[in-house]
Amino acid sequence: MTDSTGTPVPAEFSPTAGISAPQHLPPAPAWSRHAIVWQVFPLGFVGAPTLAPQGDPDDPSTPAGALAAEHRLLRLVDWLDYLVSLGCNVLALGPVFASMSHGYDTVDYFRIDPRLGTNEDFETLARQAHARGVRLVLDGVFNHVGKDFPAFAALPQAGPGSEASRLFRLTWPEDWQPGTAPDYERFEDQEWLPALNHAEPAVADMVVEVMKFWLERGADAWRLDAAYAVDPAFWTRVLPRVREHYPEAYFVGEVIHGDYVGITAASGMDSVTQYELWKAVWSSIESRNFYELDWALRRHAEFLRTLVPWTFLGNHDTTRIASQISEPAHLPHAVALLATLPGLPAIYYGDEQGYRGVKEDRLGGDDEIRPPFPATPADMSDLGAPTLRLYQDLVGLRRRLPWLHDADLATLHLDNRLYSLELTGRAGWADAGASDGGPGSVVVVLSLEEHEAWVPTAGHHAVLAASPGSAAPRPEDDGVVLPAHAWAVLGTS
């Protein structure tokens, strides 16, 4: 390949280095082609206590039972119409199972965390969501559990050779005596998160049963937490067995670095999280360096030959996009990219309101990015209304152009502060319900310049969306003149 000047680029420096050859995988469920996600961290959303309460959740006289009786998970029912008004049709929930603290330290996969409510509350939420055409994604934390997980807590008495011992990666003392705990592998060196033993068939059996249990009760899909830490082959012993019963279930793995194509092909997952693109979007805008974005999009185009990644501007583990980008006029550039780039786009709750929050590496460092929401949309402040309208407009555009889901990409212009990208639909969308009669092409133009600037657009002059409050892009030759700090999505008619 060559760079933007035509100079040959060594293979080891190619954007596609380290990516497996394209694979022909079974198609993801058809509904995922039209999916736009609103992602919520439930424990934060409802203002749940930081630590799990003591006692029997079924006994209202105990702290756990009293909290369960508040049925906080049902507060999300009042936000389903808000989700729909945003243009979304999928609700992705962070961890909801009984846990020790933040939800990623599970103690019971078959019970809703009492800080959220009851299993019946989840079923009610699922029914209400489905009545609105909204699907539910659950967060499956299957790489590790919390140290209070009953099988792990029983190890000092159960000892080596017990059924419980096979579920974990343990080192026992040679002179083990009852009451002596083994050493164990920890997830990311966190002593309260013992790692499961994914080579053990009983672990695969447990995960299959958990997935089926909640799919039967209304879930539609699973996010596989920390999938990057699990041998991809493990999922081949799980997902086909689940799909036998729930063929429309969708599975997306949390993968941060590495060979997205190879991991997806080896695991049988439908997709992975696109952290490379997440980083490139905010970083290229913040550093005024669209070369970084273009590099990531070349890799993204290669991934699209095999899978459609899960795209996002933020989530429960990242600093919010409004805090990543210091120039407020450039925040809409990122939103325009999320709405138009191929992928399965997910909006993290609060981003559509312009929420700010910085993730910090300390105890409680996630609190800013996992905040409580008001009880109902009517209680939401009007401060975020302009950002909400921006999201609604751009998600609406995405709805009108569904073929953007897996569109082909071509860079028309690239320099540090100006970018022009053409997106062209693939064949097959005309008979898949595309509202415009089939695939076409659009051009996304972005400017970080302090002055107006011309960019080529291959003759795309019709404004489909543009910077609110700025002058419209001015057609000139086969391009347009953009105002300072502006962006636009352009069509041919």
Side-chain angles (χ1 to χ4, degrees):
M1 64 166 290
T2 61
D3 64 16
S4 58
T5 68
T7 304
V9 175
E12 62 268 29
F13 298 127
S14 164
T16 58
I19 302 176
S20 294
Q23 307 284 316
H24 295 289
L25 305 181
W31 64 262
S32 68
R33 301 182 80 193
H34 297 271
I36 299 177
V37 178
W38 194 50
Q39 181 183 2
V40 167
F41 190 80
L43 290 169
F45 188 96
V46 303
T50 301
L51 299 177
Q54 298 298 310
D56 181 359
D58 294 325
D59 181 354
S61 68
T62 68
L67 263 179
E70 293 183 18
H71 304 289
R72 296 189 186 200
L73 188 65
L74 293 180
R75 296 182 191 178
L76 279 164
V77 172
D78 290 330
W79 286 88
L80 291 172
D81 290 335
Y82 171 91
L83 176 159
V84 172
S85 72
L86 183 56
C88 298
N89 59 354
V90 176
L91 173 61
L93 298 174
V96 296
F97 307 137
S99 68
M100 297 168 57
S101 59
H102 48 50
Y104 291 100
D105 42 10
T106 311
V107 297
D108 189 344
Y109 285 113
F110 296 96
R111 180 187 284 274
I112 292 296
D113 195 303
R115 292 172 290 173
L116 296 174
T118 66
N119 289 13
E120 291 73 23
D121 293 336
F122 173 79
E123 294 180 38
T124 298
L125 175 61
R127 284 195 301 272
Q128 292 290 332
H130 293 159
R132 295 164 171 82
V134 174
R135 296 180 185 264
L136 284 179
V137 182
L138 286 180
D139 203 344
V141 188
F142 300 126
N143 174 68
H144 52 272
V145 296
K147 68 178 183 179
D148 289 347
F149 189 78
F152 184 80
L155 287 173
Q157 295 300 326
S162 63
E163 290 186 13
S165 70
R166 296 199 299 270
L167 301 180
F168 305 96
R169 298 176 233 168
L170 307 174
T171 302
W172 292 93
E174 293 183 5
D175 57 349
W176 177 82
Q177 297 292 325
T180 303
D183 195 9
Y184 55 95
E185 290 194 27
R186 302 152 170 82
F187 174 59
E188 296 184 348
D189 295 323
Q190 299 178 73
E191 61 90 14
W192 65 93
L193 299 178
L196 290 166
N197 176 15
H198 297 96
E200 168 57 44
V203 172
D205 293 344
M206 177 183 71
V207 173
V208 169
E209 291 309 308
V210 172
M211 287 185 169
K212 290 167 56 181
F213 181 88
W214 292 105
L215 288 166
E216 180 181 349
R217 285 157 178 77
D220 299 284
W222 286 91
R223 172 190 179 270
L224 306 178
D225 179 68
Y228 58 85
V230 179
D231 180 357
F234 171 76
W235 302 111
T236 67
R237 301 189 290 273
V238 170
L239 303 186
R241 295 163 62 187
V242 177
R243 287 183 174 122
E244 282 183 24
H245 300 274
Y246 299 95
E248 287 298 297
Y250 175 86
F251 303 91
V252 55
E254 181 194 19
V255 178
I256 299 175
H257 307 293
D259 180 3
Y260 292 172
V261 170
I263 292 170
T264 304
S267 66
M269 296 183 293
D270 294 299
S271 184
V272 295
T273 51
Q274 226 302 26
Y275 269 90
E276 289 187 10
L277 185 57
W278 160 78
K279 195 271 181 181
V281 168
W282 69 259
S283 179
S284 64
I285 293 172
E286 179 64 10
S287 63
R288 309 327 195 247
N289 178 21
F290 279 135
Y291 287 94
E292 179 181 4
L293 177 61
D294 190 69
W295 181 277
L297 285 175
R298 292 189 189 197
R299 291 178 61 81
H300 192 61
E302 189 68 19
F303 301 147
L304 286 162
R305 298 173 67 185
T306 299
L307 68 142
V308 178
W310 176 287
T311 55
F312 57 97
L313 298 179
N315 60 33
H316 62 287
D317 282 330
T318 67
T319 291
R320 285 196 180 268
I321 188 66
S323 294
Q324 296 276 26
I325 296 176
S326 58
E327 171 52 67
H330 296 164
L331 175 61
H333 296 54
V335 182
L337 287 169
L338 178 67
T340 56
L341 289 177
L344 196 159
I347 300 167
Y348 185 55
Y349 82 107
D351 281 357
E352 78 284 357
Q353 293 281 347
Y355 274 33
R356 301 176 64 83
V358 176
K359 179 181 174 66
E360 299 179 355
D361 187 17
R362 60 171 178 82
L363 185 66
D366 293 323
D367 292 351
E368 273 196 15
I369 60 174
R370 303 174 180 180
F373 245 36
T376 70
D379 300 316
M380 179 66 78
S381 165
D382 290 334
L383 292 175
T387 305
L388 178 62
R389 285 193 295 273
L390 172 72
Y391 271 86
Q392 289 173 323
D393 290 346
L394 283 167
V395 173
L397 176 63
R398 176 63 169 244
R399 283 268 169 246
R400 296 192 297 276
L401 305 173
W403 49 263
L404 288 170
H405 175 74
D406 57 0
D408 292 323
L409 305 173
T411 301
L412 301 181
H413 178 81
L414 171 63
D415 64 44
N416 283 56
R417 294 169 176 256
L418 289 171
Y419 195 52
S420 179
L421 179 72
E422 185 173 20
L423 301 102
T424 303
R426 298 179 181 182
W429 278 97
D431 57 1
S435 60
D436 62 350
S441 67
V442 297
V443 170
V444 178
V445 287
L446 308 171
S447 175
L448 307 177
E449 292 284 10
E450 304 286 339
H451 50 77
E452 70 175 23
W454 180 87
V455 286
T457 62
H460 292 69
H461 291 150
V463 178
L464 305 179
S467 303
S470 294
R474 186 171 70 249
E476 187 173 297
D477 299 326
D478 68 343
V480 298
V481 176
L482 276 178
H485 304 288
W487 61 272
V489 182
L490 305 170
T492 55
S493 62

